[in-house]
Amino acid sequence: MAAPSSSVTTPSQGVHRVKFAILGGGISGLTVGRLLRAAGHTIDIFEKDEIIGGLCKTANFDGFLLDEAGGHILYSKLPEALSFMVDSIGPDQLCQRERKTKIYYRDGLWVKYPFENGVGQLPPQDRFDCLMGYLEAYWQRQQPNATPPGNFHDWVLYRMGQGFADHFMFPYNEKIWKIDLKQLSSSWVEGRVPEAPVEDIVQAAVGLTTEGYTHQSHFQYPISGGFQALTDAIGAPLADVIQAGTAVESVQRDGEGWKVNDARYDFVVNTMPLPEFLKVLQGVPAAVNQAGDALVYRSLASVLIGLNHDEIPDYSWIYLPFPEQGGANRITYLSNYSPGNAPEGCASIQAELTFAGPNPVDDAYVDELAATYERIGLLKRSDVIRKGFKTVKYAYIVYDLDFYQKLDQSLGWVDRQGIYSTGRFARFDYFNSDQCVDSALKLVKQILADVERG
Ligand SMILES: Cc1cc2nc3c(=O)[nH]c(=O)nc-3n(C[C@H](O)[C@H](O)[C@H](O)COP(=O)(O)OP(=O)(O)OC[C@H]3O[C@@H](n4cnc5c(N)ncnc54)[C@H](O)[C@@H]3O)c2cc1C
């Protein structure tokens, strides 16, 4: 395995070496651990699960692999983060894949994704609704006082119009977010949903080919071991300092430093979900705890359906926007990511569904889902030889209307205590794993500068 590149340097001779407690052994905690250790500091990583990796973990059901927090792909616009990840596992351990995605529309129709580019494939009435609505919305946006609405429901109408809303955006987003879309802020879509030029929409609607955004057109995935192979590789040199199966139960001030469970540290780097961290941190004001508890998130169930043949569509994943297509919003053809994800001659699909509160998925639910997929033509139940599921509690951040206020009250307070926080749910930020690595790289640079300053 090649040594990951990083621009973080070892402290100069005589610089005080400090002891860090890193809370959480997901990709954020492991990356911070690698870099701090490379810089000569002492670290312990506390991970409550027996297996490191957090949301990047992969389960194995008799040779059928399942990425526990939904099918994960490796791609990035962040060169330093990407090379850290690729170098950690080794480039020869990765499959190169072209992203092929579709929307499974009503009546068995396959439509291009992004939906705006597939509009020409819709039935005539739906195509008309989308085009007309888009032009009306476009015209409204040219008016002098037009401003983007703050809630997601109205933002969709403002940006895309009624047809796109009814035929895709509303049903799909209701399925994922499980919240009245008027209660969702439009802030989370900024920069995520590029505005399609009106010419592209008209072209697509009359049946001319358009592609939409292409930055995820290719991706990488570990040849064996599922996405978790990546976090396994990042964590491998840290085996002696990872305390797997050790939950952080208490974090409290101890003079200039901190006590984590019973051990003393100079600094704490938190990567655990913020609401969980606030529960174990001593001396948190009630208002801060309340704000942290009020942060809204969605949990995820990932369902594996293993097939006794490998004749599956050539897609990476497909979107299922409508309720009659079952509870999952996305199906990943995980065995297309790497042949190592299913036994030889077999294939797998992975369905992902979000939930709020208690887990609705059990064996009966999985059977029902398979029956739905048979009904809509995605598989034959007689071909299914393995089923299974995994759930994760913290999966999606819900940017409800007072999200930033709650975050400022809770995370803002933690930041002011001199505790470092990084990671998707430690900062409640919509990070993919590459962004977690990027943030960890930046944080460690900041920490090293802080340490150097004494
Ligand atoms: C549906 C979905 C799809 C995604 N797809 C992609 C993708 O395709 N590509 C991509 O790059 N990223 C993807 N991501 C994002 C990626 O999974 C995350 O950004 C990343 O894994 C977060 O890592 P983390 O270390 O910040 O947090 P986590 O992985 O959540 O790590 C936090 C760790 O803290 C531990 N912990 C919690 N409580 C305690 C405690 N009391 N004591 C000790 N440890 C504790 C947890 O067990 C966990 O291991 C996806 C995420 C989801 C939900």
Side-chain angles (χ1 to χ4, degrees):
M1 186 177 68
S5 61
S6 137
S7 55
V8 176
T9 51
T10 308
S12 51
Q13 269 207 332
V15 166
H16 180 51
R17 272 167 215 236
V18 293
K19 197 172 169 197
F20 289 88
I22 299 170
L23 317 186
I27 197 160
S28 298
L30 297 171
T31 305
V32 169
R34 281 288 289 263
L35 300 172
L36 285 176
R37 203 179 206 198
H41 296 294
T42 304
I43 58 161
D44 281 322
I45 298 179
F46 295 82
E47 170 50 56
K48 80 171 163 56
D49 285 352
E50 295 296 338
I51 298 170
I52 57 168
L55 291 172
C56 295
K57 283 202 300 261
T58 302
N60 187 330
F61 295 89
D62 301 329
F64 287 102
L65 303 196
L66 176 80
D67 284 346
E68 295 186 13
H72 272 52
I73 59 172
L74 173 58
Y75 70 94
S76 189
K77 292 187 279 183
L78 302 161
E80 202 183 350
L82 186 62
S83 58
F84 176 87
M85 294 166 90
V86 171
D87 291 351
S88 291
I89 187 167
D92 55 342
Q93 296 303 308
L94 293 165
C95 303
Q96 312 294 324
R97 291 287 178 261
E98 192 187 336
R99 186 185 74 124
K100 293 182 186 163
T101 58
K102 286 275 182 195
I103 296 162
Y104 194 47
Y105 201 66
R106 293 192 175 94
D107 304 321
L109 196 62
W110 294 96
V111 172
K112 228 176 182 179
Y113 182 86
F115 188 63
E116 299 94 291
N117 300 91
V119 65
Q121 298 166 307
L122 301 182
Q125 182 64 54
D126 299 8
R127 201 184 325 158
F128 171 78
D129 296 344
C130 290
L131 181 58
M132 197 63 208
Y134 198 88
L135 294 175
E136 276 167 7
Y138 179 76
W139 182 80
Q140 293 284 356
R141 288 204 303 279
Q142 309 312 308
Q143 301 312 302
N145 295 326
T147 42
N151 78 71
F152 182 66
H153 178 278
D154 295 352
W155 181 90
V156 168
L157 294 175
Y158 172 87
R159 269 282 294 273
M160 297 177 172
Q162 192 73 52
F164 279 103
D166 291 341
H167 294 304
F168 182 71
M169 291 299 282
F170 284 171
Y172 182 70
N173 283 287
E174 277 158 5
K175 230 185 194 189
I176 291 199
W177 299 110
K178 311 266 182 312
I179 190 173
D180 173 359
L181 298 181
K182 287 199 169 174
Q183 299 304 313
L184 203 58
S185 161
S186 57
S187 61
W188 66 277
V189 277
E190 289 305 324
R192 270 169 219 284
V193 182
E195 183 163 359
V198 68
E199 296 79 10
D200 281 17
I201 302 296
V202 176
Q203 271 188 358
V206 298
L208 294 172
T209 305
T210 54
E211 276 315 317
Y213 52 88
T214 52
H215 76 274
Q216 291 178 29
S217 61
H218 289 82
F219 65 88
Q220 305 185 78
Y221 189 89
I223 292 170
S224 61
F227 201 77
Q228 183 186 309
L230 200 53
T231 42
D232 284 351
I234 297 172
L238 302 172
D240 56 321
V241 289
I242 294 172
Q243 300 186 21
T246 308
V248 173
E249 284 164 358
S250 161
V251 177
Q252 56 184 306
R253 264 264 169 234
D254 185 29
E256 294 279 286
W258 296 91
K259 223 162 143 193
V260 175
N261 295 349
D262 287 325
R264 196 186 181 282
Y265 296 89
D266 299 304
F267 290 108
V268 168
V269 181
N270 177 49
T271 74
M272 288 166 51
L274 178 60
E276 304 294 325
F277 179 59
L278 289 171
K279 284 189 190 95
V280 297
L281 182 61
Q282 309 298 302
V284 179
V288 171
N289 246 323
Q290 234 169 2
D293 269 344
L295 288 166
V296 185
Y297 59 88
R298 290 293 173 253
S299 306
L300 184 85
S302 294
V303 174
L304 165 86
I305 300 179
L307 305 172
N308 63 3
H309 61 82
D310 57 8
E311 284 150 26
I312 55 170
D314 189 23
Y315 299 137
S316 316
W317 64 85
I318 60 171
Y319 298 95
L320 303 174
F322 304 113
E324 63 273 18
Q325 298 169 324
N329 59 288
R330 183 170 85 135
I331 284 181
T332 298
Y333 289 93
L334 205 69
S335 53
N336 286 342
Y337 286 15
S338 164
N341 283 349
E344 210 180 326
C346 298
S348 68
I349 68 173
Q350 160 159 2
E352 291 160 31
L353 53 122
T354 57
F355 59 94
N359 169 26
V361 177
D362 55 13
D363 290 346
Y365 189 105
V366 175
D367 288 345
E368 216 177 289
L369 205 60
T372 303
Y373 294 159
E374 182 168 61
R375 181 172 51 72
I376 64 175
L378 290 179
L379 53 79
K380 279 203 239 142
R381 267 184 298 172
S382 53
D383 295 344
V384 175
I385 51 170
R386 189 68 168 98
K387 293 180 222 160
F389 64 89
K390 285 281 176 182
T391 58
V392 295
K393 183 174 173 186
Y394 293 91
Y396 285 104
I397 291 149
V398 177
Y399 289 86
D400 53 353
L401 296 177
D402 55 353
F403 171 79
Y404 288 106
Q405 193 186 326
K406 293 183 289 195
L407 190 67
D408 189 47
Q409 256 185 302
S410 49
L411 182 61
W413 183 84
V414 171
D415 286 344
R416 288 192 294 280
Q417 307 315 300
I419 293 167
Y420 297 108
S421 298
T422 191
R424 180 167 168 119
F425 279 99
R427 296 210 71 82
F428 256 72
D429 208 337
Y430 218 119
F431 282 173
N432 269 342
S433 63
D434 62 314
Q435 292 164 300
C436 291
V437 168
D438 183 63
S439 293
L441 289 165
K442 289 182 177 132
L443 178 70
V444 170
K445 284 177 194 161
Q446 182 202 326
I447 293 175
L448 295 182
D450 290 350
V451 169
E452 196 122 356
R453 272 197 306 271

